[in-house]
Each structure stands twice: as structure tokens, then as C-alpha cells.
Amino acid sequence: MNDFTSSVADAKIPDATVRRFSLYLRYLEDFERSGISSVASGVLAERGGTTAAQVRKDLSFLGSFGKRGLGYSVKELTGVLRDVLGLDSVWRVALLGAGRIGTALFRYEPFRARGFHITTVIDNDPGKVGTRLGDVMIRGEHELECALREDRTDLVIVAVPAPVAQALVDRVVAAGVRAVLNYAPAQLRLPDDVALRNVSMTVELESLSHALTRLRRCR
Amino acid sequence: MNDFTSSVADAKIPDATVRRFSLYLRYLEDFERSGISSVASGVLAERGGTTAAQVRKDLSFLGSFGKRGLGYSVKELTGVLRDVLGLDSVWRVALLGAGRIGTALFRYEPFRARGFHITTVIDNDPGKVGTRLGDVMIRGEHELECALREDRTDLVIVAVPAPVAQALVDRVVAAGVRAVLNYAPAQLRLPDDVALRNVSMTVELESLSHALTRLRRCR
DNA sequence: CACTGCTTGTGAAATCGTTCACAAGTGGAA
DNA sequence: TTCCACTTGTGAACGATTTCACAAGCAGTG
């Protein structure tokens, strides 16, 4: 762990920790903008809704470069987190589905700001194919493989209806893409060496609804 | 646990389990449509990407009403899950922010189908106030409390820029709302008796980016 | 230097969630 | 009835994550 050769840890980092890294980074960027140069675990914890011990444990996966008595250098920590999250590369993203969700995702600026460039948009509606979404031409489903290769796509965002999703993703994987962000309400099956994250619009809402119901019943 | 008085468990159910309930319910509704009347844990597991033991353990939080040798009644299980997830009530939802994300969420049909009715839309852009989003009139920020009360809002979806979010949510909580679904990239502070779920568009993407980086470095 | 106040890094303990393994229940067939 | 194939429900083992507790390190002061 006390690896001084490079900034990035090689060991497996728990998923929960990686997700918190995203949050920490957000706060650190705020701090950087405010001109704060150093930050203690307790401060980050308060901002992120966890505990100081949690923050320190998380950061310890990256090596130990905090200064005892002082905290962490905002600048250094920002750099390390960007590095470990892979935010220094530009990732080439293909968006499958230019419906409501797809369009909203396409227009969501923070993606681009973080280095995720949507260079391909695919939709199977003939009325949409050939039109533009922002600066990207919408291409038909049959051009999928071709488009992925041409644009050297790293990552695919799935925003098509559930029934179509699996078939499309199979083709995407066959074309060599190794990361999928799935917004379709379907459980996708993929090989182990492909990274998958599911985002379900309804799951969070329903978990809230469950919490509300419990609150109601208690009083 | 072996509570035969009613269908709903009173004990605290792990959050991870509740989220899986949403998924199980989705699959069960598929099965129901296909006319399948009974389902074994293994089948649900395969569909949902977990294990049979996990499914049974999850469902055991709701009591035990599977039939050994047969599995679970699709109809009964659907009912129990809908009940525990609170999907039999209609929830009155207010949407804060009618920007890109807000609009996409408003138009997302599965919400309505699940009993989440967006009855209030608030935005502080004077150009939007007074116009309609679907069948709902967009109201100004100053009308917030008034609107929440009039519409007897149960739940609020926050889709405003991060800097505004906390102040708005404070008012929402003061007005008596007990559940918040937050799409703003900000960590909200709320009292303990208010349920909060954060959805971050970038966190999942960044966790994928991390995974991709790791994959890259390994070969 | 010694002392003080503050903060990290980290083993160890505690907590939480998942998987295992198997007794017990079910329906159907003989 | 007995046997068989199947499946649930659940204690116990396991594994992962979070929290605790504290030694060790740093900067500033006298």
C-alpha cells in the first residue's frame, strides 16, 4: 500500500469506496475553486455525509499522502482521485437510443466536462436517423458495429426500451466495447470482463416509497 | 418473522434487499403477463442476476408464503411486493426544476404507471413560469410552500442546479414533505425523519471509468 | 528542545450482507 | 402408503465494509 512508485493503487478497491471517490472529488473541486489548499478528513466527511474514519480508510487505498496534523493537499488529492477514476483520459462514448432519456443524457453537460464525449448516437427510428442531436448525426441501428469501430468507442450508454437492450448489447460487446452504462429497465447478461453499471430510474423512487410507507405506518 | 396477521413485515429490511424487491417485482409482472402462475427462487435469481439463496433470504423478510416444492405464487408475491414497496397508494410528487433532467423525468412514463403522479412543477425561470409541462402548470419558486400544501405533496424530486438545492429542500422539509429524491449533484442535509435518495448521473459513469482504467492497465 | 493541539494511517472489533447447507414441506406417481 | 423430485426457510459460516481506538507524525509556541 505504501507504494511510492506511482499515484495509483493496483489493489482492488471496493466499489462503495470508488463511488465515494466521485463525491470526494466533487467537493475537492469546490474547495479548489474557493482557494482552500488543504482539507482534513473530518471536513470531507461532513460534506459527504460520512465519517472521518470512513474517509481516511477510503483514501488509504490510494496510498498514504496526507500530512498528519494538517490533512490532505486539495490539489494533490484532486489529482490522485482524477487519476484513479480515469478522468484524465477522454472516453469516447456511444449513446444507444435517442429518446427522452437518451436526449437528456446527451445534453447533460457534466458528462462532457468530465471527459465523456458522446461521439456516436444510434437510434432505430427512421424518422430520427440522419437528423442531428447537437453536433452528432444520429445513425441507424444497422450501422452500429461500423460506428463503434470508426469512433473507437470505449463505453456505451444504453437508453433503449428493455426488450431491445440485450440484443443490442450483445452486438456492442462483440464489437469489443468493455464498459456499459445501462439505463434500460432490463438485467443485462454480459461476459465477466465487461464492466456494467445499471441505473434504474424507478428503483430509487420505489425504495423511497417503501421508506415513506414505513414512516406512515409508524405514526 | 412468521407473522400471519398481515402481509407486510414490520422489521427493518436492508436497503439492498428493498432495491432488489423493485427488480423482482418487475420480473414478476413480466411473468404475470406471460400467464405464469408460480415461480421458483432459482428462476427469479437467474432473471435478476443473483442467487436463489439470495432471493429466498430477501423474500423471507416478508414472512414465509412460498410453497415448498412449488415456489411462489406470482400473483401473491406481486401483491406482497407492491404492498411493501408502497405502490398501492398514489404518491403525489412535486418536481423542482423544469430543466433538461426535470423535463425528462416528468415525461418518463413508468413513474406514473407506478403511482407516482407529478402534480406540481416549480421552476424559477420567469420565462417558464406560467407555461405548461404536459398537463401541469409550471409555478414560480415563491409559490413553493403554497403549491406543496395545495397539492398535498408526499414526495419531492429535486432537479435544480446544485447551489440552489439545499435552500429549496430546507423549505420543502419545513413544509412537511418527508421524502426527497435528489438528482442535484449536492449532498443534502436533512433531518433524520426525512427519507432521502441521491441519484448521481456522474457517479456511476465515473465508477465505470475507473473499471475501464483498471482493465486497461492489466493488459 | 519539550510541549501542545491537531490529524493521519491502520490493526482490531463490530456490524452488515451474502452464501452455504440442510431439515422440512409439497405434490405426484406407483 | 411409500417413494421421489423438487423447493422453501433458515441457522450458521463466510466475506465484506464500517467503525473504533490509538500510536505516530507534523507545525507552531515558548
Side-chain angles (χ1 to χ4, degrees):
Chain A
M1 257 337 98
N2 252 326
D3 183 348
F4 51 85
T5 55
S6 125
S7 44
V8 168
D10 318 291
K12 202 178 108 260
I13 299 172
D15 209 65
T17 294
V18 172
R19 282 217 289 281
R20 278 190 298 268
F21 283 165
S22 288
L23 299 178
Y24 299 156
L25 180 56
R26 231 191 245 155
Y27 307 140
L28 285 166
E29 285 169 347
D30 284 351
F31 290 140
E32 205 163 27
R33 270 189 292 275
S34 320
I36 297 166
S37 67
S38 139
V39 68
S41 57
V43 177
L44 265 182
E46 200 198 359
R47 197 75 151 44
T50 44
T51 67
Q54 177 80 82
V55 171
R56 292 201 302 274
K57 187 63 104 181
D58 283 345
L59 296 182
S60 77
F61 283 102
L62 306 178
S64 55
F65 49 87
K67 297 261 175 291
R68 294 175 190 225
L70 288 183
Y72 300 87
S73 151
V74 169
K75 191 161 176 160
E76 189 185 2
L77 191 47
T78 304
V80 173
L81 286 179
R82 290 187 59 83
D83 185 20
V84 78
L85 289 176
L87 298 182
D88 290 323
S89 350
V90 167
W91 298 106
R92 304 177 67 83
V93 179
L95 174 65
L96 309 188
R100 301 239 180 262
I101 303 181
T103 307
L105 291 173
F106 184 89
R107 297 241 161 84
Y108 191 62
E109 265 122 44
F111 284 169
R112 176 162 292 260
R114 298 248 157 203
F116 298 96
H117 290 194
I118 299 181
T119 51
T120 304
V121 179
I122 303 275
D123 199 289
N124 68 353
D125 176 352
K128 283 181 185 158
V129 175
T131 66
R132 291 182 165 282
L133 189 53
D135 52 347
V136 179
M137 181 74 78
I138 300 181
R139 306 173 71 170
E141 196 194 305
H142 60 282
E143 292 186 80
L144 177 62
E145 284 81 1
C146 172
L148 294 179
R149 245 164 242 141
E150 271 173 24
D151 289 346
R152 303 189 314 286
T153 301
D154 300 299
L155 191 159
V156 157
I157 300 181
V158 177
V160 299
V164 207
Q166 181 68 57
L168 223 46
V169 166
D170 287 343
R171 290 168 60 190
V172 164
V173 170
V177 174
R178 291 285 89 112
V180 176
L181 181 61
N182 177 37
Y183 277 84
Q187 196 67 30
L188 302 178
R189 290 198 164 285
L190 336 161
D192 290 346
D193 62 336
V194 179
L196 168 69
R197 295 292 180 281
N198 290 293
V199 178
S200 165
M201 319 275 282
T202 51
V203 165
E204 295 297 321
L205 202 48
E206 291 182 6
S207 118
L208 262 186
S209 159
H210 165 74
L212 257 185
T213 306
R214 275 184 60 76
L215 276 176
R216 284 276 161 86
R217 297 214 175 142
C218 287
R219 57 199 66 188
Chain B
M1 251 353 87
N2 253 324
D3 183 348
F4 51 85
T5 57
S6 124
S7 43
V8 168
D10 317 289
K12 203 178 107 260
I13 300 171
D15 208 67
T17 295
V18 172
R19 281 216 288 281
R20 279 190 298 267
F21 282 164
S22 288
L23 298 178
Y24 299 156
L25 181 56
R26 230 190 244 156
Y27 307 140
L28 285 166
E29 286 168 346
D30 285 351
F31 290 141
E32 204 164 26
R33 269 190 292 276
S34 319
I36 296 166
S37 67
S38 139
V39 68
S41 56
V43 177
L44 265 182
E46 200 197 358
R47 199 71 152 44
T50 44
T51 66
Q54 177 79 82
V55 171
R56 292 201 301 276
K57 186 64 103 182
D58 283 344
L59 295 182
S60 77
F61 282 102
L62 306 178
S64 55
F65 48 87
K67 296 259 177 294
R68 291 172 193 230
L70 285 184
Y72 301 87
S73 151
V74 169
K75 191 161 177 161
E76 189 184 2
L77 191 47
T78 304
V80 172
L81 286 178
R82 291 188 59 83
D83 186 19
V84 79
L85 289 176
L87 298 181
D88 289 324
S89 350
V90 167
W91 299 106
R92 304 176 68 82
V93 179
L95 174 65
L96 309 188
R100 303 238 180 262
I101 303 180
T103 307
L105 291 173
F106 183 90
R107 297 242 162 83
Y108 191 61
E109 265 124 43
F111 285 168
R112 176 163 290 261
R114 298 248 158 204
F116 298 96
H117 289 195
I118 299 182
T119 52
T120 302
V121 178
I122 303 276
D123 200 290
N124 68 353
D125 176 351
K128 283 180 185 159
V129 174
T131 66
R132 292 182 164 282
L133 188 54
D135 52 348
V136 179
M137 181 76 78
I138 300 181
R139 305 173 72 172
E141 197 194 304
H142 61 283
E143 292 186 81
L144 177 62
E145 285 81 1
C146 172
L148 294 178
R149 246 164 241 140
E150 272 173 22
D151 289 346
R152 303 190 313 286
T153 301
D154 299 300
L155 191 158
V156 157
I157 300 181
V158 177
V160 297
V164 207
Q166 181 68 57
L168 223 46
V169 165
D170 288 342
R171 289 168 60 190
V172 163
V173 170
V177 174
R178 292 284 89 113
V180 175
L181 181 61
N182 177 38
Y183 277 84
Q187 194 68 27
L188 302 178
R189 294 204 157 281
L190 331 164
D192 291 347
D193 63 335
V194 179
L196 167 68
R197 293 292 179 282
N198 290 295
V199 178
S200 166
M201 320 274 282
T202 50
V203 166
E204 295 298 321
L205 202 48
E206 292 181 6
S207 119
L208 263 185
S209 160
H210 165 75
L212 258 184
T213 306
R214 274 185 61 76
L215 276 176
R216 285 276 161 86
R217 297 214 174 140
C218 287
R219 60 195 67 187

